[in-house]
Amino acid sequence: MRLRVPPGAPAALKVLAAAGAAPEPVRPHLGGPAEGPRALPSPPGLQLELDNGTVLFSANAICQYFYLCRGEEPTDLTTQWLEWEATELQPAVAAALYLRLVQGRAGPDALAVLKHLLTHLEQHLARSGTSHLAGDAVSVADVVVWGSLFPVLQDETSLPSELQVLRSWFRAMSLWEPCRDAAALLPEALRELRTHLAQHPPPLPGPRHEPQDEESPERALTDDDIAAAVDTWARGPAALPPPWQPQTPVLPVEGERNVLITSALPYVNNVPHLGNIIGCVLSADTFARYSRLRGWNTLFVCGTDEYGTATETRALEEGLSPRELCDRYHALHADIYSWFRISFDTFGRTTTPQQTRIAQDIFQRLLARGFLLQDTLEQLRCESCGRYLADRFVEGTCPFCNYAEARGDQCDKCGKLINAVELKNPQCKLCRGTPVVTPTQHLFLDLPKLEGRLEAWLERTWAAGDWTPNARHITRTWLRDGLKPRCITRDLTWGTPVPLDGFRDKVFYVWFDAPIGYLSITANYTDQWERWWKNPQQVELYNFMAKDNVPFHSVVFPCSLLGAEDNYTLVNHLIATEYLNYEDGKFSKSRGVGVFGDMAKDTGIPADVWRFYLLYLRPEGQDSAFSWADLLLKNNSELLNNLGNFINRAGMFVCKFFAGVVPDMVLTAEDQRLLARVTLEMRQYHQLMEKVRIRDALRCVLSISRHGNQYIQVNEPWKRIKGDEKDRQRAGTVTGVAVNVAAALAALLQPFVPGVSAAIQGQLLIPPERCGLGMGLTCTLPAGHRVGTVSPLFQKLEPEQVEALRQRFAGGQVSGTQAKQPPPASAPPPAPNAAAAPGDPKLIQELTEQVAKQGNLVRQLKAAQAEKAQVDAQVAKLLELKQQLALAEGRSPEVPKGKRKK
């Protein structure tokens, strides 16, 4: 084979390192076209010609080939890392190199472009517990990611000191011999690259799939930005859309945007935990509320999935009939979602006559068109329990990756689907007995026969719709492996009966039957359900789910509907989250680990705080983890000190300084810049929400309130109101603009925290016709508008309160080993409210002293090796004090950054 690597290409590093790791030496030809690379990081001229004449041009494909030569097959995890590196990391690296090599910007400026990506790497390495990206050995993923980063970083000391795990990984990779040899070529390559970048500046990094905690550098405002913002402001309430007035029932309207939203149906027996709630119903609810605010004709459908062996078994355990059990748990689910303010248009269930009618009709249509097969299936039967076992009631060792706790239908570790009889060492989860394989006749959906239709449909819908990257990847994996016939019947009694002679003692398998629940629940809501579900020309369908449900919504269910040939509405936008974990492990109802839906309201923490934190953590591009210490920090910093502080101050200034009436406003250039800045954030908010980037959109809202806090701090209306006429007028303008920003925040917050949004609207007495969500900041509350009584929106969470909750929900994670006791230290007194008298020197002095005292306490706890949770609680209190001090001093109250090595 022959490897050709042009000079000046960052891709050369990963290719040369991968070549160095190949089992047989590969001598590269270092040379290329004189003009250098035209794009980063896969320039023309980079190629690997194999002995059979095949030529590989993609740097990542070349790297993967060298690892195949080592006998290392790609895994789903390494494939995901290579896709992430190509779509996310490469554009950011190109921009960072341009800043550093061409513009001569300092290292921190270049690293700012990469900050959210570096944090993503740090979090993955820290949570995985492995020394490398895909395990404990160097994989192709490590080589590719290292090769992209090295031209920017060059050594681990360039990384922020708080990224300790990433530093260790980067240092280990840089010392690995193949990487070290490749890096020796870097100085000459960078000189070549500088010339190229000066002539061909790379594009700015594209939209991120990973959320970031800090704002990216603000772009400069243009005259057009400011003029457009001033025009929108001047239009006042006329710039707002009229409130959406839904009909009853909600039905599609010709000529309007008709949005049908489904949330994956929760299984009736499982009380949902926080991860279930954010993965499905809360994410869907947030988008449904946004859709209604936009005036789109919106129907939001969900319900409980009630058929199957799990229901039968639980009913036997509780001495109830399956129907009685479902009635009880359906009511429990409905109560939980009501407390979380989930705004279903209908919340139904699958155990209805409509479900039977529609499921059997789809079945008959598939049968008539030749898309069903009959075959003998070897199924596991537990003789001790006297029943055939549903897939999820069998557990054993995965035949693909040897994971010891694989389920009978899917392995949670490698993600591959499994037939239960393929499991090694199977066990009945009910009695722990060993089931036996028994042959039985079943019906199968002929997926191979439908594969062509599916691929043609996917090509169309992917071109026009928004599917999350994980949904596309999982679907591609299914197609790449080739579709196989899928069994759609089971030897059970509790389910939708199969209407075919010879099979009438069987029921439909849950993953054929359950998605049809979306249709039947809508049919129970309105007898005109087909206007939603057989109307793809006028209806946009959004499916929300966690990633483990993707194959059934992207392959199995669409194949059923395509084969039925009845003009069914198929999914346009499939939105799948990653997983939300709990602290350092998983949620477990049996072990009492984690917060479940029926427990959340007993914590004393309001539903909107739960909604906010779960949406702030929403695992959009990677798994995330619930943390009690982080909940305390986000509540006290983002909700209390940022958002609540700004809205409360804006309203209180109107009440205190202007007798509750919005004053006249005479805009200056500074005010106009704020209008433009807020309008830009609102446009970004809309762009993100339309793409269902919910977590990032929430950060736009928080950014607006930070701009508002900074605006108030700089202009100091509490001082100007005591000055001459000019100062008093300025105080009035600042107060009036601020309270209008607060009114805009009420609308922007409505999808996320509807209770808080309603409270703001109530306190500011915003008329219903002015509660719409515009595309920019408008003067919703003109001079002369009277506000109501203004009161705090959020309550502070105390470390002791949160620590008690952490221990309460720790279950088996609580260790009996007691940590070393710290030396006695008096806790600092409660911090004063920084919003009470902003700019007050006395307040600043008091906060400065408390920061110093709290810092000493934290150092004492760390020196004494106190329990981590106790240290975290005191660190959170220290961070809160620092933020209050920043507010008092007129600085932006952001979460303090970690220290950097000087």
Side-chain angles (χ1 to χ4, degrees):
M1 68 182 76
R2 290 184 294 178
L3 176 63
R4 181 167 176 264
V5 182
L13 289 176
K14 56 187 175 187
V15 169
L16 292 172
E24 295 182 7
V26 179
R27 296 187 63 182
H29 169 64
L30 299 177
E35 67 270 17
R38 296 193 189 97
L40 290 172
S42 296
L46 176 66
Q47 62 185 51
L48 176 67
E49 183 177 351
L50 306 183
D51 294 337
N52 62 5
T54 302
V55 179
L56 302 179
F57 296 98
S58 162
N60 285 3
I62 294 170
C63 293
Q64 200 158 49
Y65 177 79
F66 286 135
Y67 267 76
L68 283 169
C69 293
R70 289 165 56 101
E72 297 182 22
E73 293 284 338
T75 66
D76 286 343
L77 186 55
T78 59
T79 301
Q80 288 178 37
W81 275 117
L82 264 62
E83 288 188 2
W84 177 83
E85 187 271 345
T87 59
E88 300 290 329
L89 187 59
Q90 285 184 17
V93 164
L97 286 170
Y98 181 78
L99 291 173
R100 184 169 180 175
L101 298 179
V102 179
Q103 294 188 349
R105 302 274 285 274
D109 289 340
L111 283 181
V113 178
L114 297 171
K115 181 173 183 181
H116 65 289
L117 300 170
L118 298 176
T119 300
H120 172 45
L121 287 165
E122 169 79 11
Q123 291 173 349
H124 170 81
L125 288 165
R127 289 172 185 161
S128 68
T130 58
S131 56
H132 292 87
L133 294 177
D136 287 321
V138 177
S139 70
V140 65
D142 297 283
V143 170
V144 165
V145 172
W146 172 86
S148 278
L149 287 175
F150 191 84
V152 180
L153 302 178
Q154 299 188 30
D155 68 71
E156 75 276 5
T157 60
S158 301
L159 287 163
S161 59
E162 61 266 26
L163 304 181
Q164 287 296 323
V165 182
L166 181 58
R167 277 186 163 206
S168 297
W169 170 85
F170 190 81
R171 180 170 58 251
M173 287 299 300
S174 299
L175 293 174
W176 188 48
E177 185 176 354
C179 291
R180 189 177 67 236
D181 292 345
L185 303 171
L186 184 67
E188 181 63 29
L190 290 181
R191 282 193 289 272
E192 297 272 356
L193 182 60
R194 182 185 294 111
T195 302
H196 166 73
L197 288 174
Q199 298 171 353
H200 306 282
L204 292 175
R208 294 184 301 273
H209 294 300
E210 306 303 337
Q212 59 176 1
D213 289 329
E214 305 290 339
E215 292 179 279
S216 57
E218 295 176 348
R219 76 168 177 84
L221 295 172
T222 67
D223 291 340
D224 288 343
D225 292 333
I226 295 172
V230 171
D231 178 66
T232 302
W233 170 269
R235 290 174 59 198
L240 297 174
W244 180 52
Q245 300 294 338
Q247 55 185 319
T248 304
V250 181
L251 294 171
V253 177
E254 188 172 357
E256 294 188 13
R257 184 171 182 181
N258 300 296
V259 177
L260 176 58
I261 299 172
T262 69
S263 169
L265 305 182
Y267 197 69
V268 71
N269 286 356
N270 297 332
V271 178
H273 57 64
L274 298 181
N276 302 138
I277 290 169
I278 185 56
C280 300
V281 294
L282 180 53
S283 293
D285 176 68
T286 304
F287 186 73
R289 289 177 177 275
Y290 174 76
S291 297
R292 298 181 190 120
L293 275 176
R294 291 295 302 273
W296 302 337
N297 199 44
T298 303
L299 181 69
F300 178 20
V301 173
C302 190
T304 43
D305 174 15
E306 301 186 353
Y307 282 133
T309 297
T311 301
E312 288 185 81
T313 305
R314 179 66 66 86
L316 286 172
E317 292 173 354
E318 298 193 16
L320 301 170
S321 69
R323 169 65 65 184
E324 290 171 332
L325 185 92
C326 290
D327 289 344
R328 172 189 294 181
Y329 279 92
H330 174 82
L332 175 63
H333 277 267
D335 181 60
I336 290 169
Y337 302 137
S338 175
W339 187 80
F340 274 96
R341 296 192 170 106
I342 307 299
S343 61
F344 302 120
D345 289 292
T346 180
F347 183 71
R349 52 203 306 187
T350 57
T351 51
T352 66
Q354 289 281 25
Q355 175 76 7
T356 300
R357 183 179 68 81
I358 297 172
Q360 290 184 346
D361 177 68
I362 292 173
F363 168 80
Q364 295 286 13
R365 295 181 71 89
L366 289 167
L367 182 66
R369 286 159 178 77
F371 292 123
L372 297 181
L373 303 173
Q374 181 176 328
D375 200 358
T376 300
L377 179 70
E378 291 187 329
Q379 192 168 340
L380 291 173
R381 177 178 174 85
C382 181
E383 298 298 342
S384 299
C385 296
R387 65 175 63 231
Y388 285 98
L389 297 178
D391 293 341
R392 290 193 173 222
F393 276 77
V394 183
E395 200 171 70
T397 302
C398 174
F400 301 103
C401 71
N402 290 318
Y403 178 58
E405 298 180 7
R407 299 194 311 266
D409 60 347
Q410 190 172 21
C411 175
D412 284 335
K413 184 175 182 182
C414 70
K416 290 187 180 294
L417 294 181
I418 302 170
N419 283 326
V421 295
E422 297 174 342
L423 286 172
K424 303 174 186 176
N425 307 315
Q427 279 191 329
C428 170
K429 288 184 68 174
L430 303 176
C431 70
R432 289 299 167 188
T434 301
V436 295
V437 177
T438 305
T440 176
Q441 287 290 108
H442 280 283
L443 295 167
F444 292 75
L445 180 61
D446 193 350
L447 291 178
K449 196 171 182 178
L450 289 159
E451 189 166 356
R453 297 189 189 195
L454 177 71
E455 289 181 332
W457 166 72
L458 283 171
E459 184 177 350
R460 294 192 302 272
T461 194
W462 282 354
D466 289 312
W467 286 44
T468 50
N470 57 354
R472 292 175 185 255
H473 173 74
I474 291 168
T475 306
R476 285 195 194 101
T477 300
W478 264 57
L479 293 172
R480 182 193 66 204
D481 294 343
L483 299 184
K484 299 175 179 62
R486 188 77 180 166
C487 186
I488 63 167
T489 54
R490 285 292 184 268
D491 289 295
L492 305 173
T493 58
W494 181 243
T496 301
V498 178
L500 183 66
D501 290 344
F503 295 88
R504 296 187 185 275
D505 60 340
K506 302 180 191 294
V507 299
F508 288 128
Y509 175 45
V510 64
W511 274 115
F512 174 79
D513 182 65
I516 297 171
Y518 300 135
L519 285 63
S520 70
I521 289 167
T522 309
N524 281 292
Y525 168 71
T526 172
D527 58 5
Q528 300 181 68
W529 66 274
E530 291 183 350
R531 289 176 61 182
W532 282 108
W533 285 103
K534 295 185 180 181
N535 190 7
Q537 296 79 17
Q538 294 184 345
V539 173
E540 280 185 79
L541 174 57
Y542 287 79
N543 287 164
F544 285 80
M545 68 201 69
K547 64 182 178 183
D548 57 337
N549 286 339
V550 166
F552 308 105
H553 287 79
S554 68
V555 176
V556 180
F557 188 42
C559 279
S560 299
L561 299 183
L562 287 166
E565 296 180 352
D566 204 14
N567 196 40
Y568 277 107
T569 303
L570 300 178
V571 60
N572 304 95
H573 313 279
L574 201 157
I575 313 301
T577 61
E578 301 291 322
Y579 294 136
L580 177 72
N581 297 314
Y582 182 79
E583 295 282 354
D584 296 325
K586 294 184 178 181
F587 291 87
S588 171
K589 187 77 170 179
S590 61
R591 293 188 293 116
V593 176
V595 181
F596 286 72
D598 54 345
M599 305 170 181
K601 60 184 176 182
D602 297 329
T603 61
I605 298 173
D608 272 5
V609 173
W610 283 113
R611 285 179 63 110
F612 168 83
Y613 185 60
L614 291 175
L615 290 165
Y616 193 98
L617 285 181
R618 186 173 184 263
E620 293 185 357
Q622 60 176 313
D623 290 356
S624 58
F626 173 91
S627 160
W628 283 105
D630 189 53
L631 170 63
L632 179 145
L633 181 62
K634 296 301 186 293
N635 179 84
N636 293 354
S637 61
E638 293 291 7
L639 288 182
L640 187 63
N641 287 347
N642 177 17
L643 188 63
N645 182 57
F646 169 68
I647 294 171
N648 185 259
R649 294 165 88 188
M652 286 299 296
F653 289 159
V654 176
C655 295
K656 183 176 180 180
F657 301 145
F658 300 98
V661 176
V662 177
D664 290 328
M665 290 162 273
V666 180
L667 300 184
T668 66
E670 180 185 358
D671 305 318
Q672 293 175 354
R673 284 195 296 274
L674 176 70
L675 305 186
R677 185 62 66 193
V678 172
T679 294
L680 285 180
E681 291 285 358
M682 291 179 70
R683 289 177 182 169
Q684 177 75 354
Y685 167 94
H686 284 295
Q687 291 171 5
L688 291 166
M689 288 298 288
E690 287 177 7
K691 295 290 185 182
V692 203
R693 297 269 301 282
I694 294 172
R695 174 172 168 166
D696 287 349
L698 178 56
R699 279 155 171 75
C700 290
V701 180
L702 299 173
S703 181
I704 289 172
S705 64
R706 274 193 284 270
H707 286 304
N709 271 313
Q710 188 173 20
Y711 174 71
I712 288 176
Q713 286 299 132
V714 168
N715 285 281
E716 300 180 322
W718 62 92
K719 290 183 180 178
R720 292 182 181 272
I721 196 66
K722 301 173 184 177
D724 57 20
E725 182 62 27
K726 182 178 179 181
D727 277 343
R728 288 195 296 275
Q729 183 185 72
R730 183 66 189 146
T733 298
V734 171
T735 299
V737 170
V739 79
N740 272 280
V741 173
L745 284 169
L748 293 163
L749 285 166
Q750 204 276 343
F752 302 94
V753 283
V756 171
S757 172
I760 299 169
Q761 292 168 0
Q763 291 183 20
L764 300 183
L765 300 182
I766 306 173
E769 66 272 13
R770 299 184 190 176
C771 292
L773 180 57
M775 300 304 290
L777 180 60
T778 64
C779 186
T780 306
L781 307 180
H785 173 85
R786 179 171 292 278
V787 304
T789 302
V790 176
S791 58
L793 296 168
F794 305 103
Q795 297 296 319
K796 181 180 178 182
L797 289 178
E798 297 294 344
E800 297 78 10
Q801 171 192 2
V802 169
E803 174 59 18
L805 290 170
R806 189 193 71 80
Q807 293 187 16
R808 172 182 166 189
F809 294 106
Q813 292 180 346
V814 177
S815 171
T817 304
Q818 297 297 318
K820 296 180 183 179
Q821 294 299 317
S826 58
N833 184 354
D840 185 349
K842 182 178 179 182
L843 173 65
I844 293 173
Q845 178 62 32
E846 184 179 351
L847 285 168
T848 300
E849 293 173 358
Q850 291 195 24
V851 166
K853 185 181 295 185
Q854 184 68 10
N856 288 333
L857 174 59
V858 169
R859 283 188 288 274
Q860 290 176 6
L861 290 171
K862 289 181 177 180
Q865 299 181 19
E867 186 179 1
K868 182 178 183 297
Q870 187 177 8
V871 176
D872 287 346
Q874 297 304 325
V875 168
K877 185 177 289 187
L878 175 62
L879 293 176
E880 182 191 349
L881 286 168
K882 287 183 176 180
Q883 289 165 11
Q884 291 190 14
L885 177 59
L887 278 174
E889 293 177 340
R891 295 183 283 113
S892 180
E894 298 177 352
V895 178
K897 301 183 175 77
K899 296 179 180 177
R900 296 179 182 269
K901 186 176 287 187
K902 295 182 180 178

